[in-house]
Amino acid sequence: MEKANKIKGGDVREASRLIRNLEDSIPEAKSTIKHIFHFTGHAQVIGITGSPGAGKSTLVDGLIEWSRKKGKTVGVLAVDPTSPFTGGAILGDRIRMQRHAEDPGVFVRSLATRGSLGGLSKAVGDAIHIMDAMGKDVILVETVGTGQQEVEIINHAHTVLVVLVPGMGDEIQAIKAGIMEIADIFVINKADREGTGKLQRELMAMLDMSPIKPGGWRPPIIKIGNAFEPSEFEKGLDELTTKVLDHLEHLVKSNLIGDRVRRKTTHELNEALRAAILEPVLKVLVSTGELDRMIDQLLKKETDPYSIAEEVQKKYLQGCI
Ligand SMILES: Nc1nc2c(ncn2[C@@H]2O[C@H](COP(=O)(O)OP(=O)(O)O)[C@@H](O)[C@H]2O)c(=O)[nH]1
Ligand SMILES: [Mg+2]
């Protein structure tokens, strides 16, 4: 409880230690996070997702600055599901964000993904809770990754920004991977480049074909020019932040904010149940070699996955279901 109170008071060292301990699945951390939960629910969470190199961190940096100018405190979570290979990118982010290091209103952490089943999503959720409990007004979650990992961000954020870059050739693929549905706002970064118009037209055509989102929100497309041209970058950023605020207002006005919070809470409970029920069972099945035997049986077509699952269910959930 004392640790949770310290975090509530904004203690950076205690918060950092807790995030690390949760990442390393240290049991004691679990009891602290239980107390943290009561202090959460105040922060505005913005997810920033897109391909590596799309300029997400540059954008996050701009959003930090904008938030600070508005007098808001900021938490930043950089999520890197492919840790061994992109260590350099995270290092780059650290250096870039160094200029905020002296600012007590900014708390930056990165998360690698060593966890097991659903581990990343749970770690992200916990880290957001910690920053929220610390009293951060805005939490920016940058995810590097593809497909499922990116899509999961929707379970944590109020507003999801999908960052695309012209001329990379992977735009449509990213959209196919389910990105289209999760975007609340599209950002075309490096919009001084050739291919911006084409990308914008493609996005608009896809939006025209997509089902209307709940509450009638049509994701706007914001173009942000060269990040190294301060006036151009700021203009894009202004437009983007206006839309982020519009989106939040839309969620509140149309009562959709309640749906998002409910979805987030449902997801969280699912993850906790998975960790408490499925994972321990899987652990036993793996350590006793039973899982391998089951797979052998399946390969020989001696049984089927459903029958095995029923057997496991009988054994471990006897009398409950
Ligand atoms: N030319 C140009 N380069 C940019 C722009 N924004 C970011 N970059 C560069 O693109 C690279 C990747 O940016 P970064 O923000 O780390 O991308 P992330 O991997 O999506 O986080 C870096 O070298 C940035 O300096 C831009 O607007 N124009
Ligand atoms: Mg980055």
Side-chain angles (χ1 to χ4, degrees):
M1 192 68 196
E2 192 200 329
K3 284 181 182 162
N5 280 328
K6 273 185 166 174
I7 290 170
K8 185 172 179 252
D11 190 316
V12 169
R13 278 180 57 189
E14 203 63 65
S16 304
R17 192 177 309 138
L18 181 58
I19 292 177
R20 204 168 52 236
N21 288 348
L22 283 166
E23 253 189 306
D24 293 340
S25 301
I26 293 181
E28 194 210 339
K30 219 170 158 183
S31 74
T32 313
I33 200 77
K34 283 182 191 164
H35 295 299
I36 291 280
F37 188 78
H38 303 282
F39 304 137
T40 62
H42 309 289
Q44 180 188 4
V45 184
I46 303 172
I48 298 104
T49 192
S51 320
K56 297 180 295 297
S57 299
T58 311
L59 201 60
V60 165
D61 199 48
L63 290 170
I64 295 175
E65 194 135 325
W66 173 81
S67 305
R68 295 302 290 140
K69 275 189 193 152
K70 297 265 175 212
K72 295 181 184 194
T73 55
V74 187
V76 179
L77 191 60
V79 185
D80 183 1
T82 51
S83 68
F85 305 106
T86 51
I90 289 286
L91 189 66
D93 290 350
R94 279 267 167 83
I95 291 167
R96 193 181 353 231
M97 293 183 185
Q98 206 65 48
R99 64 197 184 97
H100 301 291
E102 301 287 301
D103 180 351
V106 181
F107 180 72
V108 182
R109 280 296 167 276
S110 51
L111 273 188
T113 55
R114 276 164 282 167
S116 48
L117 260 178
L120 172 66
S121 189
K122 191 172 172 304
V124 170
D126 287 342
I128 291 173
H129 278 327
I130 292 166
M131 293 183 180
D132 191 350
M134 286 171 86
K136 300 298 171 227
D137 300 312
V138 178
I139 300 174
L140 305 168
V141 185
E142 174 187 338
T143 56
V144 190
T146 47
Q148 202 50 43
Q149 306 279 18
E150 281 173 329
V151 173
E152 285 224 335
I153 197 173
I154 195 169
N155 294 314
H156 299 292
H158 296 110
T159 301
V160 175
L161 314 183
V162 170
V163 183
L164 300 168
V165 182
M168 296 240 301
D170 63 349
E171 301 90 300
I172 301 303
Q173 269 167 335
I175 290 164
K176 273 190 194 146
I179 286 289
M180 193 70 181
E181 295 80 48
I182 68 161
D184 297 307
I185 299 173
F186 284 102
V187 178
I188 302 184
N189 235 356
K190 310 185 188 183
D192 48 331
R193 288 190 181 176
E194 209 178 308
T196 299
K198 181 170 173 276
L199 175 57
Q200 190 178 11
R201 282 191 299 279
E202 282 173 358
L203 276 176
M204 294 216 292
M206 284 210 189
L207 284 172
D208 287 342
M209 291 188 305
S210 312
I212 293 170
K213 288 198 149 202
W217 177 263
R218 181 180 162 108
I221 303 168
I222 309 294
K223 291 184 280 184
I224 300 192
N226 194 342
F228 304 107
E229 282 286 340
S231 63
E232 217 179 294
F233 187 60
E234 263 165 42
K235 188 170 152 274
L237 212 57
D238 263 353
E239 221 179 300
L240 174 63
T241 49
T242 304
K243 289 294 176 198
V244 169
L245 292 176
D246 282 355
H247 181 249
L248 188 65
E249 201 184 300
H250 161 79
L251 289 182
V252 174
K253 271 194 180 151
S254 54
N255 267 335
L256 286 170
I257 194 114
D259 291 352
R260 288 227 174 186
V261 173
R262 191 169 184 90
R263 186 172 61 202
K264 188 177 148 112
T265 308
T266 306
H267 177 73
E268 209 154 45
L269 180 59
N270 279 340
E271 292 292 331
L273 289 172
R274 184 198 288 275
I277 299 171
L278 180 59
E279 287 199 22
V281 173
L282 277 177
K283 225 183 220 167
V284 172
L285 294 180
V286 169
S287 67
T288 56
E290 237 179 304
L291 193 77
D292 272 336
R293 281 196 292 277
M294 290 168 174
I295 292 168
D296 288 340
Q297 284 181 322
L298 287 177
L299 290 172
K300 288 190 223 145
K301 305 279 179 205
E302 290 172 359
T303 180
D304 59 276
Y306 314 103
S307 304
I308 290 184
E310 271 171 22
E311 263 173 52
V312 174
Q313 188 191 54
K314 256 188 223 146
K315 185 166 169 188
Y316 290 93
L317 295 175
Q318 187 92 53
C320 302
I321 289 176

